[in-house]
Amino acid sequence: HAKVNGRRQSCFYDQTMSRDLVRRREIEAELRSAIVKNELSIFFQPIIDLDTGRIKTFEALVRWFHPEKGELKPDEFIPVAEETGVIVTLGNWITAQAAKAAAQWPEDVTIAVNLSPLQIKAPGAALGIMNALREAGLDPSRLELEVTESLFLDDHGATEHFIEELSAIGVRFALDDFGTGYSSLGYIQKYPFSKIKVDRSFVSGPNVGKKTDAIIHAVAELGSKLEMDIVAEGLETIDQVRTVRDAGCTLGQGYYFSRAVPDYLAAMLLSQEEDTRIRATG
Ligand code: C2E
Ligand code: MG
Ligand code: MG
Ligand code: MG
């Protein structure tokens, strides 16, 4: 019996594994042409100033609307893009689209774009970003690049150079998913981050409690001393918003405020704010 069961189980296992593998191969094969076929699009999720309740930034999040597979999330195809090297082309396209959208928004609203380590280490990476900014006519200070700590694992000069070169023209950097990786205060000391994004596992879910609360307080304190914005990711309830605001986080992002939306809806969210924006600035 045990043998039969064992064999059945391993057979089932092989089937799921090969199904995953087939899907991966398909994604790999189709990703290159997806851009040309217009199947990819950039969605925008607002990041809110927790003092004023207004939109400070939109984070660009890529989506793939596959004709047969439906909506694919970046967690499924970005890793494939990284492995195959397509991430460089894809990343340049994403930055260009995001910069174009941002150029239509009020000047005090910034755009945040996620960058993969591989993208940053590719030759001409900084130039690709500069080209996207120039073509869109977007001031570099309105672009923020989100990187994760994994970028610094195999530091080979290219990263430092990339960050230096773009910081020099006014591009800003945010440390994404803080607390999930190899969180080292050394990175915060070494690189000119203007923002730290506290991972959503500290904000909602099973791990949230006294300890995560203390950590958020400590990071917020660090942010205020170093004049960095601290963003709480993954805010889904008003209680979570209050907790992180009371802890000292300056910005918030999450489904409580809005999911990532297409460009026309992002523009609509901004125009709904326009009255107060004009009153506040003029
Ligand atoms: P991330 O940069 O940390 O982006 C935040 C992710 O959390 C997004 O998932 C967003 O939809 C999700 N999120 C936001 N608020 C909430 C919330 O309240 N609750 C929950 N449960 N989730 C929330 P998404 O769009 O699926 O992206 C996943 C990851 O894929 C991103 O994590 C980022 O690392 C990567 N990614 C997305 N777009 C790009 C891109 O254009 N280029 C690169 N290189 N990576 C990207
Ligand atoms: Mg991000
Ligand atoms: Mg994040
Ligand atoms: Mg993430």
Side-chain angles (χ1 to χ4, degrees):
H1 271 304
K3 211 173 188 178
V4 173
N5 276 345
R7 196 181 292 152
R8 252 199 213 135
Q9 206 166 13
S10 75
C11 184
F12 172 74
Y13 219 77
D14 288 350
Q15 268 178 13
T16 18
M17 285 211 336
S18 67
R19 218 185 298 134
D20 285 352
L21 209 72
V22 167
R23 188 178 166 93
R24 208 182 161 81
R25 288 272 152 74
E26 286 170 356
I27 287 175
E28 194 178 316
E30 292 165 348
L31 189 52
R32 264 171 221 282
S33 58
I35 303 177
V36 205
K37 287 188 192 149
N38 245 328
E39 291 171 8
L40 295 176
S41 100
I42 312 295
F43 274 36
F44 301 90
Q45 187 180 32
I47 299 177
I48 307 293
D49 183 329
L50 293 177
D51 272 338
T52 63
R54 293 150 64 89
I55 299 169
K56 262 235 148 144
T57 304
F58 278 103
E59 179 173 5
L61 295 162
V62 66
R63 298 286 180 266
W64 181 359
F65 296 95
H66 191 283
E68 285 110 38
K69 293 184 176 68
E71 181 182 340
L72 298 181
K73 285 289 173 66
D75 285 333
E76 191 168 17
F77 62 88
I78 291 285
V80 179
E82 285 174 340
E83 272 166 39
T84 54
V86 179
I87 191 67
V88 176
T89 313
L90 179 60
N92 283 335
W93 180 83
I94 290 167
T95 310
Q97 297 300 306
K100 261 188 237 164
Q104 309 299 314
W105 303 337
E107 278 183 9
D108 55 345
V109 179
T110 56
I111 178 79
V113 176
N114 293 283
L115 294 187
S116 299
L118 243 138
Q119 225 177 313
I120 293 170
K121 285 161 190 168
L127 214 62
I129 306 278
M130 291 175 190
N131 284 339
L133 286 169
R134 203 187 38 242
E135 270 163 40
L138 189 75
D139 192 279
S141 66
R142 291 180 62 197
L143 176 68
E144 191 172 81
L145 300 175
E146 295 194 0
V147 302
T148 58
E149 291 150 334
S150 62
L151 174 64
F152 304 113
L153 282 185
D154 56 342
D155 218 352
H156 63 47
T159 300
E160 230 179 299
H161 191 68
F162 177 88
I163 294 179
E164 260 172 28
E165 208 172 344
L166 289 171
S167 291
I169 63 163
V171 172
R172 281 179 278 191
F173 286 86
L175 189 54
D176 204 355
D177 300 346
F178 187 72
T180 56
Y182 311 85
S183 306
S184 158
L185 299 178
Y187 305 137
I188 293 172
Q189 192 261 321
K190 182 171 177 188
Y191 296 101
F193 289 110
S194 60
K195 190 181 274 188
I196 293 175
K197 301 187 78 178
V198 180
D199 191 71
R200 73 165 187 265
S201 57
F202 291 87
V203 171
S204 57
N207 296 324
V208 167
K210 260 202 179 124
K211 281 189 183 175
T212 50
D213 225 45
I215 292 169
I216 292 178
H217 266 91
V219 177
E221 172 91 14
L222 185 72
S224 103
K225 292 251 164 75
L226 297 178
E227 291 179 13
M228 288 186 290
D229 273 311
I230 305 298
V231 192
E233 298 187 297
L235 297 172
E236 294 184 357
T237 68
I238 183 68
D239 284 343
Q240 290 163 358
V241 174
R242 290 201 181 110
T243 303
V244 301
R245 197 192 49 200
D246 293 349
C249 294
T250 50
L251 301 170
Q253 177 179 9
Y255 297 164
Y256 174 75
F257 297 112
S258 170
R259 287 179 184 255
V261 296
D263 56 358
Y264 66 93
L265 284 181
M268 206 175 85
L269 289 175
L270 287 171
S271 71
Q272 284 170 350
E273 280 190 343
E274 204 163 303
D275 277 357
T276 49
R277 196 174 290 281
I278 289 163
R279 249 180 275 140
T281 55

